[in-house]
Coordinates of all heavy atoms in Angstrom, one line a residue:
M1 N 0.0 64.9 -37.8 CA -0.9 66.0 -37.8 C -1.8 65.8 -36.5 O -2.2 64.8 -36.2 CB -1.8 66.0 -39.0 CG -2.7 67.2 -39.1 SD -3.7 67.3 -40.6 CE -2.5 68.0 -41.7
S2 N -1.9 66.9 -35.8 CA -2.7 66.9 -34.6 C -4.2 66.7 -34.9 O -4.7 67.1 -35.9 CB -2.5 68.2 -33.8 OG -3.4 68.3 -32.8
R3 N -4.9 66.0 -34.0 CA -6.3 65.8 -34.1 C -7.1 67.1 -34.0 O -8.2 67.2 -34.4 CB -6.8 64.8 -33.1 CG -6.3 63.4 -33.4 CD -6.8 62.5 -32.3 NE -6.1 61.2 -32.4 CZ -6.7 60.0 -32.4 NH1 -8.0 60.0 -32.4 NH2 -6.0 58.9 -32.5
D4 N -6.5 68.1 -33.4 CA -7.2 69.4 -33.2 C -7.1 70.3 -34.5 O -7.9 71.2 -34.6 CB -6.5 70.2 -32.0 CG -6.6 69.4 -30.7 OD1 -7.6 68.6 -30.6 OD2 -5.8 69.7 -29.8
V5 N -6.2 70.0 -35.4 CA -6.1 70.8 -36.6 C -7.0 70.1 -37.7 O -6.8 69.0 -38.0 CB -4.6 70.8 -37.1 CG1 -4.5 71.6 -38.4 CG2 -3.7 71.4 -36.0
P6 N -7.9 70.9 -38.2 CA -8.8 70.3 -39.3 C -7.9 70.0 -40.5 O -7.0 70.7 -40.9 CB -9.8 71.4 -39.6 CG -9.2 72.7 -39.0 CD -8.2 72.3 -38.0
R7 N -8.2 68.9 -41.1 CA -7.6 68.5 -42.4 C -8.3 69.2 -43.6 O -9.5 69.3 -43.5 CB -7.6 67.0 -42.5 CG -6.8 66.2 -41.5 CD -6.9 64.8 -41.7 NE -6.2 64.1 -40.7 CZ -5.8 62.9 -40.8 NH1 -5.9 62.2 -41.9 NH2 -5.1 62.3 -39.8
P8 N -7.5 69.4 -44.6 CA -8.2 70.0 -45.8 C -9.1 69.0 -46.4 O -8.9 67.8 -46.4 CB -7.0 70.4 -46.7 CG -5.8 69.5 -46.2 CD -6.1 69.3 -44.8
L9 N -10.2 69.6 -47.0 CA -11.2 68.7 -47.7 C -10.6 68.4 -49.1 O -10.2 69.3 -49.8 CB -12.5 69.5 -47.8 CG -13.6 68.8 -48.4 CD1 -14.0 67.5 -47.5 CD2 -14.8 69.7 -48.5
I10 N -10.6 67.1 -49.4 CA -10.1 66.6 -50.7 C -11.3 66.0 -51.4 O -11.9 65.0 -50.9 CB -8.9 65.6 -50.5 CG1 -7.8 66.3 -49.8 CG2 -8.5 65.1 -51.8 CD1 -6.7 65.3 -49.4
H11 N -11.6 66.5 -52.6 CA -12.6 65.9 -53.4 C -12.0 64.9 -54.3 O -11.0 65.1 -54.9 CB -13.3 67.0 -54.2 CG -14.1 68.0 -53.3 ND1 -15.4 67.8 -52.9 CD2 -13.7 69.1 -52.8 CE1 -15.8 68.8 -52.2 NE2 -14.8 69.6 -52.1
V12 N -12.7 63.7 -54.4 CA -12.3 62.7 -55.3 C -13.4 62.3 -56.3 O -14.6 62.5 -55.9 CB -11.8 61.4 -54.6 CG1 -10.6 61.8 -53.7 CG2 -12.9 60.8 -53.7
V13 N -13.1 61.7 -57.4 CA -14.0 61.2 -58.4 C -13.7 59.8 -58.8 O -12.5 59.4 -58.7 CB -14.1 62.1 -59.6 CG1 -14.7 63.5 -59.3 CG2 -12.7 62.3 -60.2
A14 N -14.6 59.0 -59.2 CA -14.4 57.7 -59.6 C -15.4 57.3 -60.7 O -16.5 57.9 -60.7 CB -14.5 56.7 -58.5
A15 N -15.0 56.4 -61.6 CA -15.9 56.0 -62.6 C -16.3 54.5 -62.5 O -15.4 53.7 -62.2 CB -15.3 56.2 -64.0
A16 N -17.5 54.1 -62.6 CA -17.9 52.7 -62.6 C -18.2 52.4 -64.1 O -19.2 52.9 -64.6 CB -19.2 52.5 -61.8
V17 N -17.4 51.7 -64.7 CA -17.5 51.4 -66.2 C -17.8 49.9 -66.3 O -17.1 49.1 -65.8 CB -16.1 51.7 -66.9 CG1 -16.3 51.4 -68.4 CG2 -15.7 53.1 -66.7
T18 N -18.9 49.7 -67.1 CA -19.4 48.3 -67.3 C -19.5 48.1 -68.8 O -19.7 49.0 -69.6 CB -20.7 48.0 -66.6 OG1 -21.7 48.8 -67.1 CG2 -20.6 48.2 -65.1
D19 N -19.5 46.8 -69.2 CA -19.8 46.5 -70.6 C -21.1 45.8 -70.7 O -21.8 45.6 -69.7 CB -18.6 45.7 -71.2 CG -18.5 44.3 -70.7 OD1 -19.3 43.8 -69.9 OD2 -17.4 43.7 -71.0
G20 N -21.4 45.4 -71.9 CA -22.7 44.8 -72.2 C -23.0 43.5 -71.5 O -24.1 43.0 -71.3
T21 N -21.9 42.8 -71.0 CA -22.0 41.5 -70.4 C -22.0 41.7 -68.8 O -22.1 40.7 -68.1 CB -20.9 40.6 -70.8 OG1 -19.7 41.1 -70.4 CG2 -20.9 40.4 -72.3
G22 N -21.9 42.9 -68.4 CA -21.9 43.2 -66.9 C -20.5 43.2 -66.3 O -20.4 43.3 -65.1
R23 N -19.5 43.0 -67.1 CA -18.1 43.1 -66.5 C -17.9 44.5 -66.1 O -18.3 45.5 -66.7 CB -17.1 42.6 -67.5 CG -17.2 41.2 -67.9 CD -16.1 40.7 -68.8 NE -16.2 41.5 -70.1 CZ -15.4 41.4 -71.1 NH1 -14.3 40.6 -71.0 NH2 -15.6 42.2 -72.1
V24 N -17.1 44.7 -65.0 CA -16.8 46.0 -64.4 C -15.3 46.2 -64.6 O -14.4 45.4 -64.3 CB -17.2 46.0 -62.9 CG1 -16.8 47.4 -62.3 CG2 -18.6 45.8 -62.8
L25 N -14.9 47.4 -65.0 CA -13.5 47.8 -65.1 C -13.0 48.3 -63.8 O -13.6 49.2 -63.2 CB -13.4 49.0 -66.1 CG -11.9 49.5 -66.3 CD1 -11.0 48.5 -66.9 CD2 -12.0 50.8 -67.1
I26 N -11.9 47.7 -63.3 CA -11.3 48.1 -62.1 C -9.8 48.2 -62.4 O -9.3 47.5 -63.3 CB -11.6 47.2 -60.8 CG1 -11.2 45.8 -61.1 CG2 -13.0 47.3 -60.4 CD1 -11.3 44.8 -59.9
A27 N -9.1 49.0 -61.6 CA -7.7 49.1 -61.8 C -6.9 48.7 -60.5 O -7.4 48.9 -59.4 CB -7.4 50.6 -62.1
Q28 N -5.7 48.2 -60.7 CA -4.9 47.8 -59.5 C -3.9 48.9 -59.2 O -3.3 49.4 -60.1 CB -4.2 46.5 -59.9 CG -3.5 45.9 -58.6 CD -3.0 44.5 -58.9 OE1 -2.7 44.1 -60.0 NE2 -2.9 43.7 -57.8
R29 N -3.9 49.2 -57.9 CA -3.0 50.3 -57.5 C -1.5 49.9 -57.7 O -1.2 48.8 -57.5 CB -3.2 50.7 -56.1 CG -4.6 51.3 -55.8 CD -4.8 51.7 -54.4 NE -3.9 52.7 -54.0 CZ -4.0 54.0 -54.2 NH1 -5.0 54.5 -54.9 NH2 -3.0 54.9 -53.8
P30 N -0.7 50.8 -58.3 CA 0.7 50.5 -58.6 C 1.6 50.3 -57.4 O 1.3 50.8 -56.3 CB 1.1 51.7 -59.4 CG 0.2 52.8 -59.1 CD -1.1 52.2 -58.6
A31 N 2.6 49.5 -57.6 CA 3.6 49.3 -56.5 C 4.2 50.7 -56.1 O 4.3 51.6 -56.9 CB 4.7 48.4 -57.0
G32 N 4.5 50.8 -54.8 CA 5.1 52.0 -54.3 C 4.0 53.1 -53.9 O 4.4 54.1 -53.3
K33 N 2.8 52.9 -54.2 CA 1.7 53.8 -53.8 C 1.0 53.3 -52.5 O 1.1 52.1 -52.2 CB 0.7 53.9 -54.9 CG 1.2 54.5 -56.2 CD 1.2 56.0 -56.2 CE 1.6 56.5 -57.5 NZ 1.3 57.9 -57.6
H34 N 0.3 54.2 -51.9 CA -0.5 53.8 -50.7 C -1.5 52.7 -51.1 O -2.1 52.8 -52.2 CB -1.2 55.0 -50.2 CG -2.1 54.8 -49.0 ND1 -1.6 54.3 -47.8 CD2 -3.4 54.8 -48.9 CE1 -2.6 54.1 -47.0 NE2 -3.8 54.5 -47.6
L35 N -1.6 51.7 -50.4 CA -2.5 50.5 -50.6 C -2.1 49.8 -52.0 O -3.0 49.4 -52.7 CB -3.9 51.0 -50.7 CG -4.5 51.6 -49.3 CD1 -5.9 52.1 -49.5 CD2 -4.4 50.6 -48.2
A36 N -0.8 49.8 -52.3 CA -0.3 49.1 -53.5 C -0.9 47.7 -53.6 O -1.0 47.0 -52.7 CB 1.2 49.1 -53.5
G37 N -1.3 47.4 -54.9 CA -1.8 46.1 -55.1 C -3.3 45.9 -54.9 O -3.9 45.0 -55.4
G38 N -3.9 46.9 -54.3 CA -5.4 46.9 -54.1 C -6.1 47.3 -55.3 O -5.5 47.8 -56.3
W39 N -7.4 46.9 -55.4 CA -8.2 47.1 -56.6 C -9.1 48.3 -56.3 O -9.7 48.5 -55.2 CB -9.0 45.9 -56.9 CG -8.1 44.8 -57.3 CD1 -7.6 43.8 -56.6 CD2 -7.6 44.6 -58.7 NE1 -6.8 43.0 -57.3 CE2 -6.7 43.4 -58.6 CE3 -7.7 45.2 -59.9 CZ2 -6.1 42.9 -59.7 CZ3 -7.1 44.7 -61.0 CH2 -6.3 43.6 -60.9
E40 N -9.4 49.1 -57.3 CA -10.3 50.3 -57.2 C -10.9 50.7 -58.5 O -10.4 50.3 -59.6 CB -9.5 51.5 -56.6 CG -8.4 51.9 -57.6 CD -7.5 53.0 -57.0 OE1 -7.7 53.4 -55.8 OE2 -6.5 53.4 -57.7
F41 N -12.0 51.4 -58.5 CA -12.5 52.0 -59.7 C -11.5 53.1 -60.1 O -10.9 53.8 -59.3 CB -13.9 52.7 -59.4 CG -14.9 51.7 -59.1 CD1 -15.5 51.6 -57.8 CD2 -15.4 50.8 -60.1 CE1 -16.5 50.7 -57.6 CE2 -16.4 49.9 -59.8 CZ -16.9 49.8 -58.5
P42 N -11.4 53.3 -61.4 CA -10.5 54.4 -61.9 C -11.1 55.7 -61.5 O -12.3 56.0 -61.4 CB -10.6 54.2 -63.5 CG -11.7 53.3 -63.8 CD -12.0 52.6 -62.5
G43 N -10.1 56.6 -61.2 CA -10.5 58.0 -60.7 C -9.3 58.6 -60.0 O -8.2 58.1 -60.0
G44 N -9.6 59.6 -59.2 CA -8.6 60.3 -58.4 C -9.0 61.5 -57.8 O -10.2 61.9 -57.8
K45 N -8.1 62.3 -57.3 CA -8.3 63.6 -56.6 C -8.5 64.7 -57.6 O -7.8 64.8 -58.6 CB -7.1 63.9 -55.7 CG -6.9 62.9 -54.6 CD -5.6 63.2 -53.9 CE -5.3 62.1 -52.9 NZ -4.0 62.3 -52.3
L46 N -9.5 65.6 -57.3 CA -9.7 66.8 -58.1 C -8.6 67.8 -57.7 O -8.2 67.9 -56.6 CB -11.0 67.3 -57.9 CG -12.2 66.5 -58.4 CD1 -13.5 67.2 -58.0 CD2 -12.1 66.3 -59.9
E47 N -8.2 68.6 -58.7 CA -7.3 69.7 -58.5 C -8.2 70.9 -58.0 O -9.4 70.9 -58.3 CB -6.6 70.1 -59.8 CG -5.7 69.1 -60.4 CD -4.5 68.8 -59.6 OE1 -4.1 69.7 -58.9 OE2 -4.0 67.6 -59.7
P48 N -7.6 71.8 -57.2 CA -8.4 72.9 -56.7 C -9.1 73.7 -57.9 O -8.5 74.0 -58.9 CB -7.4 73.8 -56.1 CG -6.3 72.9 -55.7 CD -6.2 71.9 -56.7
G49 N -10.4 73.8 -57.8 CA -11.2 74.5 -58.8 C -11.6 73.7 -60.0 O -12.3 74.2 -60.9
E50 N -11.1 72.4 -60.1 CA -11.4 71.6 -61.2 C -12.8 71.1 -61.2 O -13.3 70.6 -60.2 CB -10.4 70.4 -61.2 CG -10.4 69.6 -62.5 CD -9.3 68.6 -62.5 OE1 -9.0 68.0 -61.4 OE2 -8.8 68.3 -63.5
E51 N -13.5 71.1 -62.4 CA -14.8 70.5 -62.5 C -14.7 69.0 -62.4 O -13.7 68.4 -62.8 CB -15.4 70.9 -63.9 CG -15.7 72.4 -64.0 CD -16.8 72.8 -63.1 OE1 -17.8 72.1 -62.9 OE2 -16.8 74.0 -62.7
R52 N -15.8 68.4 -61.9 CA -15.8 66.9 -61.7 C -15.5 66.1 -62.9 O -14.7 65.2 -62.9 CB -17.1 66.5 -61.0 CG -17.2 66.9 -59.6 CD -18.5 66.4 -59.0 NE -18.9 67.3 -58.0 CZ -20.1 67.6 -57.7 NH1 -21.1 67.1 -58.4 NH2 -20.4 68.5 -56.7
L53 N -16.2 66.4 -64.0 CA -16.1 65.6 -65.2 C -14.7 65.8 -65.8 O -14.1 64.8 -66.3 CB -17.2 66.0 -66.2 CG -17.2 65.2 -67.5 CD1 -17.4 63.7 -67.2 CD2 -18.3 65.7 -68.4
A54 N -14.2 67.0 -65.8 CA -12.8 67.3 -66.3 C -11.8 66.5 -65.5 O -10.9 65.9 -66.0 CB -12.5 68.8 -66.4
G55 N -12.0 66.5 -64.2 CA -11.0 65.8 -63.3 C -11.1 64.3 -63.5 O -10.1 63.7 -63.4
L56 N -12.3 63.8 -63.7 CA -12.4 62.4 -63.9 C -11.8 62.0 -65.2 O -11.0 61.0 -65.2 CB -13.9 62.0 -63.9 CG -14.2 60.5 -64.1 CD1 -13.6 59.7 -63.0 CD2 -15.7 60.3 -64.1
A57 N -12.0 62.7 -66.3 CA -11.4 62.4 -67.5 C -9.8 62.5 -67.4 O -9.1 61.6 -67.9 CB -11.9 63.4 -68.6
R58 N -9.3 63.6 -66.8 CA -7.9 63.7 -66.6 C -7.3 62.5 -65.8 O -6.3 61.9 -66.2 CB -7.6 65.0 -65.9 CG -6.1 65.2 -65.6 CD -5.8 66.4 -64.6 NE -6.6 66.4 -63.4 CZ -6.4 65.6 -62.4 NH1 -5.4 64.7 -62.4 NH2 -7.2 65.7 -61.3
S59 N -7.9 62.2 -64.7 CA -7.4 61.2 -63.9 C -7.5 59.8 -64.5 O -6.5 59.0 -64.5 CB -8.2 61.1 -62.6 OG -7.7 60.2 -61.7
C60 N -8.6 59.5 -65.2 CA -8.7 58.2 -66.0 C -7.7 58.1 -67.1 O -7.1 57.1 -67.3 CB -10.1 58.0 -66.4 SG -11.3 57.6 -65.1
A61 N -7.6 59.2 -67.8 CA -6.6 59.2 -68.9 C -5.2 58.9 -68.4 O -4.5 58.2 -69.1 CB -6.6 60.6 -69.6
K62 N -4.9 59.5 -67.3 CA -3.5 59.3 -66.7 C -3.4 57.8 -66.2 O -2.5 57.1 -66.5 CB -3.3 60.3 -65.6 CG -1.9 60.1 -64.9 CD -1.8 61.1 -63.8 CE -0.5 60.9 -63.0 NZ -0.4 61.8 -61.9
S63 N -4.3 57.4 -65.3 CA -4.2 56.1 -64.7 C -4.4 54.9 -65.6 O -3.8 53.9 -65.4 CB -5.1 56.0 -63.5 OG -6.5 56.1 -63.9
L64 N -5.3 55.1 -66.6 CA -5.5 54.0 -67.6 C -4.7 54.2 -68.9 O -4.9 53.4 -69.8 CB -7.0 54.0 -67.9 CG -8.0 53.7 -66.7 CD1 -9.4 53.9 -67.1 CD2 -7.7 52.4 -66.0
E65 N -3.9 55.2 -68.9 CA -3.1 55.4 -70.1 C -3.9 55.6 -71.4 O -3.7 54.9 -72.4 CB -2.0 54.4 -70.2 CG -1.0 54.3 -69.0 CD 0.0 53.3 -69.1 OE1 0.1 52.6 -70.2 OE2 0.8 53.1 -68.2
L66 N -4.9 56.4 -71.3 CA -5.8 56.7 -72.4 C -5.7 58.2 -72.7 O -6.6 59.0 -72.3 CB -7.3 56.4 -72.0 CG -7.5 54.9 -71.6 CD1 -8.9 54.7 -71.1 CD2 -7.2 54.0 -72.8
P67 N -4.7 58.7 -73.4 CA -4.5 60.1 -73.6 C -5.6 60.8 -74.4 O -5.8 62.0 -74.3 CB -3.1 60.2 -74.3 CG -3.0 58.9 -74.9 CD -3.7 57.9 -74.0
W68 N -6.4 60.0 -75.1 CA -7.4 60.6 -76.0 C -8.7 60.9 -75.2 O -9.6 61.5 -75.7 CB -7.8 59.6 -77.1 CG -8.0 58.2 -76.6 CD1 -7.1 57.3 -76.6 CD2 -9.2 57.7 -76.1 NE1 -7.6 56.1 -76.1 CE2 -8.9 56.3 -75.7 CE3 -10.4 58.2 -75.8 CZ2 -9.8 55.5 -75.1 CZ3 -11.4 57.3 -75.2 CH2 -11.1 56.0 -74.9
L69 N -8.8 60.4 -73.9 CA -10.0 60.6 -73.1 C -10.2 62.0 -72.7 O -9.3 62.7 -72.2 CB -9.9 59.7 -71.9 CG -11.1 59.7 -71.0 CD1 -12.3 59.1 -71.7 CD2 -10.9 58.8 -69.7
R70 N -11.4 62.6 -73.1 CA -11.7 64.0 -72.7 C -13.1 64.0 -72.3 O -14.0 63.2 -72.7 CB -11.5 64.9 -74.0 CG -10.2 64.9 -74.6 CD -10.1 65.9 -75.7 NE -11.0 65.8 -76.7 CZ -10.9 65.0 -77.8 NH1 -9.9 64.2 -77.9 NH2 -11.8 65.0 -78.8
P71 N -13.5 65.0 -71.5 CA -14.9 65.1 -71.1 C -15.8 65.3 -72.3 O -15.4 65.9 -73.3 CB -15.0 66.4 -70.3 CG -13.6 66.6 -69.8 CD -12.7 66.0 -70.9
G72 N -16.9 64.7 -72.3 CA -17.9 64.8 -73.4 C -17.8 63.7 -74.5 O -18.6 63.7 -75.4
L73 N -16.8 62.8 -74.4 CA -16.7 61.8 -75.3 C -17.5 60.6 -74.9 O -17.7 60.3 -73.8 CB -15.2 61.3 -75.5 CG -14.3 62.3 -76.2 CD1 -12.9 61.7 -76.3 CD2 -14.8 62.7 -77.6

């Protein structure tokens, strides 16, 4: 992509989840993905028009394999 062409704006969300002892939940990026093996907070890219909380719940449910996760829980 040329430097003269503006890139589309991509909104991302992430969750910082801690427990009562101060441990922090982080996820390891899967093999085959950009920056595979790296560690990150759970989250991801928002879909066009998606609300932040809904996108965060969707992304965390997918990446952490928690299908019951929904906004407001």
